Structures are given as C-alpha cells and as structure tokens.
C-alpha cells in the first residue's frame, strides 16, 4: 500500500466558492446520516466532516467545513498541502458544487408540487461520490435496511478490511480486497445475510475486474455501467439507479420504488411516482433530493441515547 501522504505533510486549506449558493443544513444532515464508522467523522455542531480521500499519492484524511448562509455558502477544505488541489477537485464533485442547480431549480420551480420545496431550500445539491466503487458497495450494504443498520454493516467492513490512514480513520476497503475475501468471510464480518454477502462479493469482483465507475462517469458512459450493475444477481433497479444518481452523476436518475420517496409524494405507487415525475425530466435527481430532504433531512435529527 502507498504510504499516506498525511504522515508529516503540512496541512493547507482552501475556500471553495459555490455558484448558485449552498443549502448547507440539509447537506450536513445527509452527510451525518450516512457517516461510515471508522472511515468518516462528522461534527454536527461545526458542520465539519472528516473522511479518507483517495489520491494519486495515496489516501489522505481531509476535512470539509460546510459554510452557512452568512458565509455565502462557501466550503472550506483542509488537507495535506501536496494533494490539496486533487482533494479540492474531489470535494467539488462529491458535494455537487458545480452542478447545474440554477437550471434544475428554474425547471422544477415551475411545478406546483415542487415549487415550495425549491423556494424553501435554494442551492440544494445532490450528494455524489468520493469514490464510485465505495458508494456502490455501500449501496448494496444498505439494501432493504435502515440507514443505521447500513452504517453498522459498513463500519464492520471498514474495521475488518480497511487500511489505517491517519487520525484513527481507515480507508474504505478496495474492491480487490473484498473480492479476495470471499462471500462467507464478508458475511461473517458484517453480519449481512448470505444473499447480500454474495451480491457484495460479486460487485467487488466486477469492480476489481475492470468496471471503473469514476471513469464511466467522466466518459459519459453511465448507462453502460448501470446495465453491467443490473446484470449482477441481487442488484435491482433501486440499487442501480441510486448508484447512477450518486456515483455516475446522472442528474435525471430517479428511484420510483423508494419507500421514502413514495411517502413524500403522498403514498403513491411506484408506477404513479414514475408517471408524476415525467415532467421533471431531465432533473429528476434534484427533484428526488428535494422530496427526500422534505421528508427526512429538512430538520435536525432528534437526539437519541
């Protein structure tokens, strides 16, 4: 493994402007809800999110501070100076800072159902992926379980197969390491079902064998990557579309079967949700985030013991 450049390297920081503004509150709550134990930390009081970011020089720990409206919705990034440029580029993609938010809001704001949501949260972003493979594997771990359960499974996977980086954080396991472990070992360390562990292992094998989701996104080949995902046993439309939305950068990705989405739309059927969303194209991904946010991420979570 390449030694992490964080060891002994000076830390630098940079403020990233956000064209179109940033709805930082919902984004903070989304990140907090999806924290992977051992690979990420989130300070809800300050809006600081720490996580491991892969770079060409090795994995580094980066901190991202999501700005408030008073600070112009800016984003502050701290990382090792030698890779700060690369980390900032990853953060811009991950947090959708260059997304066509103005165009999406203009289109969706003309819809009677979505207009109040768009007006209430201007600058709402679609959280993307730091690493496409990581997001795809986490999506499989989160199939048909709560976010809390998905985080537990992911934390166990990181503890068992993640490489230590710095500050007590580990890198999310590489697909090759998970493919080499085998499905039974993955089931044993995570606690997922046998079927889920086989899907996780099959996906890891596909990713290790050459399916590069980040390269597919950059090349505009997301549709082909989505079809390859759907060919795996245990990967259905919900999983493929979620990966398309977050890892493949598809602004029009939509999950009509998602339970939270259908509740936000008034308890409609998947077919009705799909039909209702037709006028929202080609910005259904942003519509999805507005509806999810209104249902789940609009207010701070209730503290639990």
């Amino acid at each position: 493994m390449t030694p992490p450049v964080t060891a002994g390297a000076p830390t630098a920081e940079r403020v990233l402007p956000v064209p179109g503004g940033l709805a930082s509150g919902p984004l903070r709550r989304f990140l907090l809800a999806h924290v992977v134990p051992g690979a990420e930390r989130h300070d809800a009081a300050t809006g600081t999110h720490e996580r491991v970011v892969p770079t060409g020089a090795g994995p580094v720990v980066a901190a991202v501070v999501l700005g408030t409206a008073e600070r112009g919705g800016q984003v502050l990034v701290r990382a090792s100076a030698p890779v700060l440029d690369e980390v900032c580029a990853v953060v811009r993609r991950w947090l959708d800072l260059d997304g066509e938010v103005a165009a999406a809001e203009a289109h969706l704001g003309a819809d009677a159902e979505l207009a109040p949501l768009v007006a209430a949260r201007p600058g709402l972003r679609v959280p993307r992926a730091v690493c496409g493979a990581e997001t795809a594997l986490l999506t499989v771990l989160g199939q048909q379980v709560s976010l809390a359960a998905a985080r537990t499974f992911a934390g166990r996977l990181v503890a068992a197969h993640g490489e230590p980086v710095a500050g007590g954080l580990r890198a999310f396991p590489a697909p090759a390491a998970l493919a080499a472990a085998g499905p039974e070992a993955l089931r044993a360390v995570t606690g997922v079902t046998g079927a889920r562990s086989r899907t996780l292992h099959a996906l890891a094998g596909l990713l290790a064998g050459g399916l590069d989701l980040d390269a597919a996104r950059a090349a505009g080949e997301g549709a082909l990557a989505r079809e390859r995902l759907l060919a795996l046993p245990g990967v259905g439309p919900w999983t493929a579309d979620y990966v398309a939305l977050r890892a493949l950068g598809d602004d029009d990705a939509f999950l009509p079967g998602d339970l939270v989405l259908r509740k936000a739309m008034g308890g409609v059927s998947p077919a009705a949700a799909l039909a209702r969303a037709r006028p929202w194209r080609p910005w259904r991904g942003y519509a999805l985030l507005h509806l999810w946010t209104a249902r789940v991420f609009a207010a701070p979570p209730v503290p639990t013991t």
Side-chain angles (χ1 to χ4, degrees):
M1 176 183 173
T2 304
V5 300
T6 47
T11 298
E13 65 180 40
R14 182 176 301 163
V15 174
L16 305 181
V18 186
L22 175 67
S24 60
L27 183 55
R28 289 182 183 188
R29 290 186 280 275
F30 185 99
L31 295 178
L32 175 60
H34 292 80
V35 163
V36 176
E40 297 177 279
R41 282 191 292 259
H42 187 93
D43 186 335
T46 65
T48 301
H49 190 95
E50 290 182 281
R51 65 151 296 142
V52 176
V53 175
T55 74
V60 303
V61 174
V64 176
V65 185
L66 299 178
T68 63
E70 291 74 17
R71 293 180 56 197
Q74 294 174 327
V75 174
L76 176 70
V77 179
R78 297 191 186 100
S80 296
V83 294
L84 182 61
D85 287 346
E86 187 177 355
V87 170
C88 285
V90 171
V91 170
R92 295 202 70 88
R93 181 181 73 243
W94 168 37
L95 301 183
D96 195 32
L97 301 187
D98 296 312
E100 297 183 64
V101 173
E105 290 178 349
H107 183 82
L108 301 176
D111 182 272
E113 181 180 355
L114 295 179
L117 305 184
V118 173
R121 283 174 280 277
L124 186 70
R125 307 283 159 167
V126 177
R128 306 296 187 176
V130 168
C131 170
E134 173 188 319
T135 296
L137 292 162
L138 289 172
T139 303
V140 168
L141 285 175
Q143 288 175 334
Q144 299 178 340
V145 298
S146 67
L147 277 175
R151 289 195 303 269
T152 297
F153 297 151
R156 292 169 180 169
L157 194 68
V158 168
H161 294 285
E163 295 287 346
V165 178
L169 295 181
R170 292 174 172 264
F172 191 83
L178 301 182
E184 283 306 309
L186 297 180
R187 183 197 60 76
V189 299
T190 60
V192 299
T193 65
R196 190 65 39 79
S197 68
R198 290 189 291 272
T199 299
L200 186 69
H201 181 255
L203 175 58
L206 180 65
L207 296 169
L211 177 58
D212 187 332
L213 297 177
D214 298 318
R217 172 195 49 77
E221 298 176 348
L224 293 175
R226 180 182 179 278
E227 291 303 312
R228 293 186 67 182
L229 292 173
L230 281 172
L232 290 175
V235 173
W238 183 93
T239 301
D241 289 333
Y242 188 84
V243 173
L245 178 73
R246 297 201 57 198
L248 297 172
D250 185 354
D251 292 336
D252 199 42
F254 195 66
L255 287 67
D258 183 79
L259 181 59
V260 174
L261 170 69
R262 291 192 290 114
K263 286 182 177 179
M265 296 178 71
V268 300
S269 68
L274 192 61
R276 175 68 186 89
R278 195 171 294 119
W280 303 340
R281 305 195 76 168
W283 305 107
R284 293 182 303 177
Y286 285 93
L288 174 63
L289 256 294
H290 274 287
L291 290 162
W292 270 348
T293 299
R295 184 79 186 183
V296 181
F297 303 115
V302 177
T304 58
T305 57

